[in-house]
Amino acid sequence: LVKNDKKIVQNDLKKYAQPTEGEREVWNQVNSVLQDSESILTGLQAYKGAGQEIRDAIQNPNDFMLQERAWNSVCPLVIKLKKFYSFSLRLEEALQCLLECLTCPPLTPTQHLEREQALAKQFAEILHFTLRFDELKMRIPAVQNDFSYYRRTISRNRINNMNLDIENEVNNEMANRMSLFYAEATPMLKTLSNATTNFVTENKTLPLENTTDCLSTMASVCKVMLETPEYSSRFSSDDTLLFCMRVMVGVIILYDHVHPNGAFNKSSKIDMKGCIKVLKDQPADNVEGLLNALKFTTKHLNDESTPKNIRTMLQ
């Protein structure tokens, strides 16, 4: 496998090929989603929240002007949060599209990753975006606070029979779905984990190994790139290093959700000890969010079958 990994890595370092004719339709479809990913991250990064306005309104419940100011501050933010949530649905669709291409018979997952480099790169870009989004969201408690205030206020206004324009944008059903999304510590990762699990469940004729081998091979490729000086020395910047680490963590989490025994089990095709060591060899600031994602977003870490040394490494 490592020999194959190195072959994939060498191809990778020559830069990913442009999509072939066979890949182009799916590539274009996924690319139209990925093109919006940077603006989504910029929007989240610039998210300031309405904390002060909400506090003032809560402390002065009879001051109509303060209630109005808080409401007018929160409504545009809720529209922004809806945009992020809607993007997660597009991302989910894109991921399932790529999984279909990278796991279909008769090729093995390794052959797919070697031959369909442009699609493999898009898969990696989705995971890179996802971990960046979730790392940012974890640092912005205002996201959940603002949305909770919005839901409380809209419920109260409904009782008072007030007609609100924003309900055309975010009706009750949409608010319920958004609420579940933002309640997650890592909402985008959760969306992709569910998407991968659904993909496996819905494609009963496709051997599970096709999906898990695709994910474990990608994890292994990233690990090889990170731990081999011959490759890592060619990384043009810390961003490339972070890209590789995020993709590795992302595919581990997806594997852990879809494999019945998870990623931490001794029988796992992912060298978890090696992957965690690679992360721990990096500056703590760069990997704290990634180690937390492995701790809190995986499904099987606390299983009895998880070796103690792996659990200790993640404490």
Side-chain angles (χ1 to χ4, degrees), residues 61-89:
N62 299 319
D63 188 325
F64 179 74
M65 276 180 68
L66 289 177
Q67 307 308 311
E68 200 169 45
R69 194 176 70 150
W71 179 249
N72 290 338
S73 301
V74 163
C75 284
L77 295 171
V78 168
I79 303 295
K80 201 181 251 197
L81 293 178
K82 182 193 173 187
K83 188 181 168 190
F84 302 157
Y85 169 71
S86 300
F87 186 75
S88 79
L89 303 180

PDB file of all heavy atoms in Angstrom, residues 61-89:
ATOM      1  N   PRO A  61     -36.442  44.520  29.328  1.00  0.00           N
ATOM      2  CA  PRO A  61     -37.528  43.918  28.540  1.00  0.00           C
ATOM      3  C   PRO A  61     -38.652  44.874  28.167  1.00  0.00           C
ATOM      4  O   PRO A  61     -39.369  44.624  27.208  1.00  0.00           O
ATOM      5  CB  PRO A  61     -38.054  42.797  29.455  1.00  0.00           C
ATOM      6  CG  PRO A  61     -37.549  43.121  30.822  1.00  0.00           C
ATOM      7  CD  PRO A  61     -36.291  43.894  30.646  1.00  0.00           C
ATOM      8  N   ASN A  62     -38.783  45.987  28.881  1.00  0.00           N
ATOM      9  CA  ASN A  62     -39.877  46.919  28.570  1.00  0.00           C
ATOM     10  C   ASN A  62     -39.455  48.078  27.659  1.00  0.00           C
ATOM     11  O   ASN A  62     -40.273  48.924  27.315  1.00  0.00           O
ATOM     12  CB  ASN A  62     -40.481  47.476  29.866  1.00  0.00           C
ATOM     13  CG  ASN A  62     -41.052  46.355  30.709  1.00  0.00           C
ATOM     14  OD1 ASN A  62     -41.668  45.439  30.163  1.00  0.00           O
ATOM     15  ND2 ASN A  62     -40.815  46.399  32.017  1.00  0.00           N
ATOM     16  N   ASP A  63     -38.174  48.096  27.319  1.00  0.00           N
ATOM     17  CA  ASP A  63     -37.692  49.165  26.444  1.00  0.00           C
ATOM     18  C   ASP A  63     -37.858  48.727  24.979  1.00  0.00           C
ATOM     19  O   ASP A  63     -37.071  47.931  24.463  1.00  0.00           O
ATOM     20  CB  ASP A  63     -36.213  49.462  26.760  1.00  0.00           C
ATOM     21  CG  ASP A  63     -35.711  50.689  26.014  1.00  0.00           C
ATOM     22  OD1 ASP A  63     -36.155  50.904  24.869  1.00  0.00           O
ATOM     23  OD2 ASP A  63     -34.863  51.414  26.568  1.00  0.00           O
ATOM     24  N   PHE A  64     -38.890  49.255  24.341  1.00  0.00           N
ATOM     25  CA  PHE A  64     -39.229  48.821  22.982  1.00  0.00           C
ATOM     26  C   PHE A  64     -38.091  49.106  21.992  1.00  0.00           C
ATOM     27  O   PHE A  64     -37.800  48.318  21.095  1.00  0.00           O
ATOM     28  CB  PHE A  64     -40.518  49.509  22.524  1.00  0.00           C
ATOM     29  CG  PHE A  64     -40.911  49.121  21.134  1.00  0.00           C
ATOM     30  CD1 PHE A  64     -41.451  47.855  20.862  1.00  0.00           C
ATOM     31  CD2 PHE A  64     -40.718  50.008  20.068  1.00  0.00           C
ATOM     32  CE1 PHE A  64     -41.796  47.491  19.563  1.00  0.00           C
ATOM     33  CE2 PHE A  64     -41.054  49.637  18.768  1.00  0.00           C
ATOM     34  CZ  PHE A  64     -41.596  48.386  18.515  1.00  0.00           C
ATOM     35  N   MET A  65     -37.439  50.267  22.160  1.00  0.00           N
ATOM     36  CA  MET A  65     -36.364  50.630  21.228  1.00  0.00           C
ATOM     37  C   MET A  65     -35.215  49.630  21.269  1.00  0.00           C
ATOM     38  O   MET A  65     -34.647  49.258  20.238  1.00  0.00           O
ATOM     39  CB  MET A  65     -35.844  52.039  21.543  1.00  0.00           C
ATOM     40  CG  MET A  65     -36.694  53.121  20.888  1.00  0.00           C
ATOM     41  SD  MET A  65     -36.060  54.775  21.281  1.00  0.00           S
ATOM     42  CE  MET A  65     -34.511  54.766  20.395  1.00  0.00           C
ATOM     43  N   LEU A  66     -34.873  49.170  22.501  1.00  0.00           N
ATOM     44  CA  LEU A  66     -33.776  48.200  22.635  1.00  0.00           C
ATOM     45  C   LEU A  66     -34.181  46.841  22.061  1.00  0.00           C
ATOM     46  O   LEU A  66     -33.358  46.128  21.466  1.00  0.00           O
ATOM     47  CB  LEU A  66     -33.358  48.057  24.099  1.00  0.00           C
ATOM     48  CG  LEU A  66     -32.618  49.251  24.707  1.00  0.00           C
ATOM     49  CD1 LEU A  66     -32.315  49.014  26.178  1.00  0.00           C
ATOM     50  CD2 LEU A  66     -31.309  49.548  23.950  1.00  0.00           C
ATOM     51  N   GLN A  67     -35.474  46.486  22.212  1.00  0.00           N
ATOM     52  CA  GLN A  67     -35.964  45.219  21.629  1.00  0.00           C
ATOM     53  C   GLN A  67     -35.835  45.278  20.101  1.00  0.00           C
ATOM     54  O   GLN A  67     -35.377  44.341  19.463  1.00  0.00           O
ATOM     55  CB  GLN A  67     -37.440  44.951  21.998  1.00  0.00           C
ATOM     56  CG  GLN A  67     -37.784  44.992  23.480  1.00  0.00           C
ATOM     57  CD  GLN A  67     -36.873  44.109  24.327  1.00  0.00           C
ATOM     58  OE1 GLN A  67     -36.663  42.941  24.008  1.00  0.00           O
ATOM     59  NE2 GLN A  67     -36.329  44.657  25.400  1.00  0.00           N
ATOM     60  N   GLU A  68     -36.230  46.437  19.591  1.00  0.00           N
ATOM     61  CA  GLU A  68     -36.206  46.613  18.129  1.00  0.00           C
ATOM     62  C   GLU A  68     -34.774  46.609  17.593  1.00  0.00           C
ATOM     63  O   GLU A  68     -34.479  46.025  16.546  1.00  0.00           O
ATOM     64  CB  GLU A  68     -36.908  47.922  17.770  1.00  0.00           C
ATOM     65  CG  GLU A  68     -37.357  47.939  16.323  1.00  0.00           C
ATOM     66  CD  GLU A  68     -38.276  49.121  16.039  1.00  0.00           C
ATOM     67  OE1 GLU A  68     -37.948  50.231  16.490  1.00  0.00           O
ATOM     68  OE2 GLU A  68     -39.312  48.916  15.375  1.00  0.00           O
ATOM     69  N   ARG A  69     -33.882  47.254  18.358  1.00  0.00           N
ATOM     70  CA  ARG A  69     -32.481  47.315  17.924  1.00  0.00           C
ATOM     71  C   ARG A  69     -31.863  45.907  17.884  1.00  0.00           C
ATOM     72  O   ARG A  69     -31.157  45.543  16.938  1.00  0.00           O
ATOM     73  CB  ARG A  69     -31.676  48.217  18.879  1.00  0.00           C
ATOM     74  CG  ARG A  69     -30.305  48.584  18.299  1.00  0.00           C
ATOM     75  CD  ARG A  69     -29.564  49.532  19.186  1.00  0.00           C
ATOM     76  NE  ARG A  69     -29.124  48.874  20.416  1.00  0.00           N
ATOM     77  CZ  ARG A  69     -28.041  49.208  21.100  1.00  0.00           C
ATOM     78  NH1 ARG A  69     -27.302  50.226  20.700  1.00  0.00           N
ATOM     79  NH2 ARG A  69     -27.694  48.576  22.195  1.00  0.00           N
ATOM     80  N   ALA A  70     -32.169  45.109  18.923  1.00  0.00           N
ATOM     81  CA  ALA A  70     -31.627  43.739  18.968  1.00  0.00           C
ATOM     82  C   ALA A  70     -32.186  42.921  17.803  1.00  0.00           C
ATOM     83  O   ALA A  70     -31.446  42.216  17.104  1.00  0.00           O
ATOM     84  CB  ALA A  70     -31.988  43.080  20.305  1.00  0.00           C
ATOM     85  N   TRP A  71     -33.494  43.048  17.579  1.00  0.00           N
ATOM     86  CA  TRP A  71     -34.135  42.291  16.500  1.00  0.00           C
ATOM     87  C   TRP A  71     -33.564  42.683  15.135  1.00  0.00           C
ATOM     88  O   TRP A  71     -33.236  41.834  14.298  1.00  0.00           O
ATOM     89  CB  TRP A  71     -35.648  42.533  16.547  1.00  0.00           C
ATOM     90  CG  TRP A  71     -36.403  41.813  15.471  1.00  0.00           C
ATOM     91  CD1 TRP A  71     -37.038  42.361  14.411  1.00  0.00           C
ATOM     92  CD2 TRP A  71     -36.604  40.394  15.350  1.00  0.00           C
ATOM     93  NE1 TRP A  71     -37.624  41.386  13.633  1.00  0.00           N
ATOM     94  CE2 TRP A  71     -37.370  40.170  14.190  1.00  0.00           C
ATOM     95  CE3 TRP A  71     -36.199  39.295  16.117  1.00  0.00           C
ATOM     96  CZ2 TRP A  71     -37.741  38.889  13.770  1.00  0.00           C
ATOM     97  CZ3 TRP A  71     -36.578  38.022  15.704  1.00  0.00           C
ATOM     98  CH2 TRP A  71     -37.335  37.827  14.539  1.00  0.00           C
ATOM     99  N   ASN A  72     -33.393  43.984  14.920  1.00  0.00           N
ATOM    100  CA  ASN A  72     -32.850  44.460  13.637  1.00  0.00           C
ATOM    101  C   ASN A  72     -31.389  44.073  13.448  1.00  0.00           C
ATOM    102  O   ASN A  72     -30.903  43.993  12.323  1.00  0.00           O
ATOM    103  CB  ASN A  72     -33.014  45.980  13.519  1.00  0.00           C
ATOM    104  CG  ASN A  72     -34.471  46.373  13.352  1.00  0.00           C
ATOM    105  OD1 ASN A  72     -35.285  45.548  12.931  1.00  0.00           O
ATOM    106  ND2 ASN A  72     -34.823  47.611  13.707  1.00  0.00           N
ATOM    107  N   SER A  73     -30.668  43.854  14.550  1.00  0.00           N
ATOM    108  CA  SER A  73     -29.268  43.414  14.451  1.00  0.00           C
ATOM    109  C   SER A  73     -29.190  41.919  14.147  1.00  0.00           C
ATOM    110  O   SER A  73     -28.309  41.463  13.422  1.00  0.00           O
ATOM    111  CB  SER A  73     -28.520  43.670  15.769  1.00  0.00           C
ATOM    112  OG  SER A  73     -28.560  45.024  16.090  1.00  0.00           O
ATOM    113  N   VAL A  74     -30.145  41.168  14.722  1.00  0.00           N
ATOM    114  CA  VAL A  74     -30.091  39.706  14.594  1.00  0.00           C
ATOM    115  C   VAL A  74     -30.584  39.224  13.227  1.00  0.00           C
ATOM    116  O   VAL A  74     -30.023  38.276  12.663  1.00  0.00           O
ATOM    117  CB  VAL A  74     -30.892  39.040  15.748  1.00  0.00           C
ATOM    118  CG1 VAL A  74     -31.226  37.589  15.445  1.00  0.00           C
ATOM    119  CG2 VAL A  74     -30.092  39.119  17.046  1.00  0.00           C
ATOM    120  N   CYS A  75     -31.611  39.877  12.681  1.00  0.00           N
ATOM    121  CA  CYS A  75     -32.218  39.368  11.426  1.00  0.00           C
ATOM    122  C   CYS A  75     -31.218  39.217  10.262  1.00  0.00           C
ATOM    123  O   CYS A  75     -31.171  38.153   9.637  1.00  0.00           O
ATOM    124  CB  CYS A  75     -33.399  40.239  11.010  1.00  0.00           C
ATOM    125  SG  CYS A  75     -34.845  39.880  12.039  1.00  0.00           S
ATOM    126  N   PRO A  76     -30.373  40.234   9.965  1.00  0.00           N
ATOM    127  CA  PRO A  76     -29.407  40.041   8.867  1.00  0.00           C
ATOM    128  C   PRO A  76     -28.418  38.906   9.175  1.00  0.00           C
ATOM    129  O   PRO A  76     -27.941  38.220   8.272  1.00  0.00           O
ATOM    130  CB  PRO A  76     -28.666  41.382   8.776  1.00  0.00           C
ATOM    131  CG  PRO A  76     -29.354  42.313   9.682  1.00  0.00           C
ATOM    132  CD  PRO A  76     -30.299  41.580  10.554  1.00  0.00           C
ATOM    133  N   LEU A  77     -28.099  38.715  10.465  1.00  0.00           N
ATOM    134  CA  LEU A  77     -27.174  37.644  10.848  1.00  0.00           C
ATOM    135  C   LEU A  77     -27.805  36.269  10.607  1.00  0.00           C
ATOM    136  O   LEU A  77     -27.148  35.326  10.184  1.00  0.00           O
ATOM    137  CB  LEU A  77     -26.770  37.781  12.326  1.00  0.00           C
ATOM    138  CG  LEU A  77     -25.966  39.038  12.669  1.00  0.00           C
ATOM    139  CD1 LEU A  77     -25.807  39.177  14.178  1.00  0.00           C
ATOM    140  CD2 LEU A  77     -24.589  39.016  11.995  1.00  0.00           C
ATOM    141  N   VAL A  78     -29.103  36.177  10.852  1.00  0.00           N
ATOM    142  CA  VAL A  78     -29.811  34.906  10.629  1.00  0.00           C
ATOM    143  C   VAL A  78     -29.834  34.580   9.132  1.00  0.00           C
ATOM    144  O   VAL A  78     -29.680  33.415   8.739  1.00  0.00           O
ATOM    145  CB  VAL A  78     -31.235  34.966  11.232  1.00  0.00           C
ATOM    146  CG1 VAL A  78     -32.098  33.796  10.766  1.00  0.00           C
ATOM    147  CG2 VAL A  78     -31.144  34.962  12.760  1.00  0.00           C
ATOM    148  N   ILE A  79     -29.983  35.604   8.293  1.00  0.00           N
ATOM    149  CA  ILE A  79     -29.945  35.390   6.834  1.00  0.00           C
ATOM    150  C   ILE A  79     -28.566  34.843   6.444  1.00  0.00           C
ATOM    151  O   ILE A  79     -28.425  33.943   5.629  1.00  0.00           O
ATOM    152  CB  ILE A  79     -30.227  36.711   6.058  1.00  0.00           C
ATOM    153  CG1 ILE A  79     -31.575  37.311   6.458  1.00  0.00           C
ATOM    154  CG2 ILE A  79     -30.134  36.491   4.557  1.00  0.00           C
ATOM    155  CD1 ILE A  79     -32.800  36.506   6.105  1.00  0.00           C
ATOM    156  N   LYS A  80     -27.529  35.380   7.080  1.00  0.00           N
ATOM    157  CA  LYS A  80     -26.157  34.923   6.828  1.00  0.00           C
ATOM    158  C   LYS A  80     -25.996  33.461   7.284  1.00  0.00           C
ATOM    159  O   LYS A  80     -25.409  32.642   6.575  1.00  0.00           O
ATOM    160  CB  LYS A  80     -25.194  35.831   7.620  1.00  0.00           C
ATOM    161  CG  LYS A  80     -23.778  35.818   7.096  1.00  0.00           C
ATOM    162  CD  LYS A  80     -22.889  36.726   7.933  1.00  0.00           C
ATOM    163  CE  LYS A  80     -22.497  37.968   7.194  1.00  0.00           C
ATOM    164  NZ  LYS A  80     -21.354  38.651   7.813  1.00  0.00           N
ATOM    165  N   LEU A  81     -26.554  33.149   8.461  1.00  0.00           N
ATOM    166  CA  LEU A  81     -26.451  31.773   8.978  1.00  0.00           C
ATOM    167  C   LEU A  81     -27.214  30.796   8.081  1.00  0.00           C
ATOM    168  O   LEU A  81     -26.801  29.650   7.908  1.00  0.00           O
ATOM    169  CB  LEU A  81     -26.986  31.700  10.413  1.00  0.00           C
ATOM    170  CG  LEU A  81     -26.171  32.457  11.473  1.00  0.00           C
ATOM    171  CD1 LEU A  81     -26.838  32.350  12.839  1.00  0.00           C
ATOM    172  CD2 LEU A  81     -24.740  31.930  11.558  1.00  0.00           C
ATOM    173  N   LYS A  82     -28.310  31.277   7.493  1.00  0.00           N
ATOM    174  CA  LYS A  82     -29.046  30.419   6.554  1.00  0.00           C
ATOM    175  C   LYS A  82     -28.175  30.124   5.323  1.00  0.00           C
ATOM    176  O   LYS A  82     -28.181  29.014   4.780  1.00  0.00           O
ATOM    177  CB  LYS A  82     -30.346  31.115   6.128  1.00  0.00           C
ATOM    178  CG  LYS A  82     -31.177  30.240   5.193  1.00  0.00           C
ATOM    179  CD  LYS A  82     -32.290  31.006   4.523  1.00  0.00           C
ATOM    180  CE  LYS A  82     -32.982  30.148   3.478  1.00  0.00           C
ATOM    181  NZ  LYS A  82     -33.967  30.890   2.689  1.00  0.00           N
ATOM    182  N   LYS A  83     -27.437  31.122   4.890  1.00  0.00           N
ATOM    183  CA  LYS A  83     -26.553  30.962   3.715  1.00  0.00           C
ATOM    184  C   LYS A  83     -25.499  29.881   3.997  1.00  0.00           C
ATOM    185  O   LYS A  83     -25.227  29.025   3.168  1.00  0.00           O
ATOM    186  CB  LYS A  83     -25.887  32.316   3.417  1.00  0.00           C
ATOM    187  CG  LYS A  83     -25.111  32.356   2.124  1.00  0.00           C
ATOM    188  CD  LYS A  83     -24.474  33.726   1.937  1.00  0.00           C
ATOM    189  CE  LYS A  83     -23.461  33.704   0.803  1.00  0.00           C
ATOM    190  NZ  LYS A  83     -22.671  34.931   0.742  1.00  0.00           N
ATOM    191  N   PHE A  84     -24.909  29.909   5.205  1.00  0.00           N
ATOM    192  CA  PHE A  84     -23.908  28.898   5.569  1.00  0.00           C
ATOM    193  C   PHE A  84     -24.548  27.504   5.605  1.00  0.00           C
ATOM    194  O   PHE A  84     -23.980  26.527   5.134  1.00  0.00           O
ATOM    195  CB  PHE A  84     -23.287  29.181   6.951  1.00  0.00           C
ATOM    196  CG  PHE A  84     -22.608  30.524   7.086  1.00  0.00           C
ATOM    197  CD1 PHE A  84     -22.432  31.105   8.353  1.00  0.00           C
ATOM    198  CD2 PHE A  84     -22.134  31.209   5.975  1.00  0.00           C
ATOM    199  CE1 PHE A  84     -21.810  32.339   8.491  1.00  0.00           C
ATOM    200  CE2 PHE A  84     -21.517  32.450   6.109  1.00  0.00           C
ATOM    201  CZ  PHE A  84     -21.352  33.011   7.369  1.00  0.00           C
ATOM    202  N   TYR A  85     -25.738  27.450   6.190  1.00  0.00           N
ATOM    203  CA  TYR A  85     -26.431  26.162   6.301  1.00  0.00           C
ATOM    204  C   TYR A  85     -26.769  25.621   4.908  1.00  0.00           C
ATOM    205  O   TYR A  85     -26.563  24.444   4.614  1.00  0.00           O
ATOM    206  CB  TYR A  85     -27.713  26.318   7.141  1.00  0.00           C
ATOM    207  CG  TYR A  85     -28.610  25.099   7.071  1.00  0.00           C
ATOM    208  CD1 TYR A  85     -28.246  23.913   7.697  1.00  0.00           C
ATOM    209  CD2 TYR A  85     -29.803  25.122   6.338  1.00  0.00           C
ATOM    210  CE1 TYR A  85     -29.052  22.781   7.604  1.00  0.00           C
ATOM    211  CE2 TYR A  85     -30.609  24.012   6.251  1.00  0.00           C
ATOM    212  CZ  TYR A  85     -30.233  22.843   6.883  1.00  0.00           C
ATOM    213  OH  TYR A  85     -31.008  21.725   6.780  1.00  0.00           O
ATOM    214  N   SER A  86     -27.284  26.486   4.035  1.00  0.00           N
ATOM    215  CA  SER A  86     -27.636  26.063   2.669  1.00  0.00           C
ATOM    216  C   SER A  86     -26.401  25.555   1.933  1.00  0.00           C
ATOM    217  O   SER A  86     -26.481  24.616   1.141  1.00  0.00           O
ATOM    218  CB  SER A  86     -28.260  27.222   1.886  1.00  0.00           C
ATOM    219  OG  SER A  86     -29.438  27.648   2.544  1.00  0.00           O
ATOM    220  N   PHE A  87     -25.263  26.189   2.220  1.00  0.00           N
ATOM    221  CA  PHE A  87     -24.016  25.744   1.575  1.00  0.00           C
ATOM    222  C   PHE A  87     -23.653  24.330   2.039  1.00  0.00           C
ATOM    223  O   PHE A  87     -23.163  23.522   1.249  1.00  0.00           O
ATOM    224  CB  PHE A  87     -22.870  26.722   1.893  1.00  0.00           C
ATOM    225  CG  PHE A  87     -21.606  26.387   1.143  1.00  0.00           C
ATOM    226  CD1 PHE A  87     -21.499  26.665  -0.212  1.00  0.00           C
ATOM    227  CD2 PHE A  87     -20.532  25.779   1.781  1.00  0.00           C
ATOM    228  CE1 PHE A  87     -20.343  26.342  -0.929  1.00  0.00           C
ATOM    229  CE2 PHE A  87     -19.383  25.452   1.083  1.00  0.00           C
ATOM    230  CZ  PHE A  87     -19.283  25.735  -0.275  1.00  0.00           C
ATOM    231  N   SER A  88     -23.926  24.012   3.298  1.00  0.00           N
ATOM    232  CA  SER A  88     -23.614  22.662   3.801  1.00  0.00           C
ATOM    233  C   SER A  88     -24.393  21.596   3.028  1.00  0.00           C
ATOM    234  O   SER A  88     -23.902  20.493   2.802  1.00  0.00           O
ATOM    235  CB  SER A  88     -23.912  22.555   5.309  1.00  0.00           C
ATOM    236  OG  SER A  88     -25.297  22.384   5.546  1.00  0.00           O
ATOM    237  N   LEU A  89     -25.610  21.931   2.583  1.00  0.00           N
ATOM    238  CA  LEU A  89     -26.426  20.984   1.810  1.00  0.00           C
ATOM    239  C   LEU A  89     -25.836  20.776   0.416  1.00  0.00           C
ATOM    240  O   LEU A  89     -25.821  19.666  -0.108  1.00  0.00           O
ATOM    241  CB  LEU A  89     -27.874  21.481   1.696  1.00  0.00           C
ATOM    242  CG  LEU A  89     -28.603  21.740   3.022  1.00  0.00           C
ATOM    243  CD1 LEU A  89     -30.025  22.232   2.767  1.00  0.00           C
ATOM    244  CD2 LEU A  89     -28.628  20.489   3.901  1.00  0.00           C
TER     245      LEU A  89
END
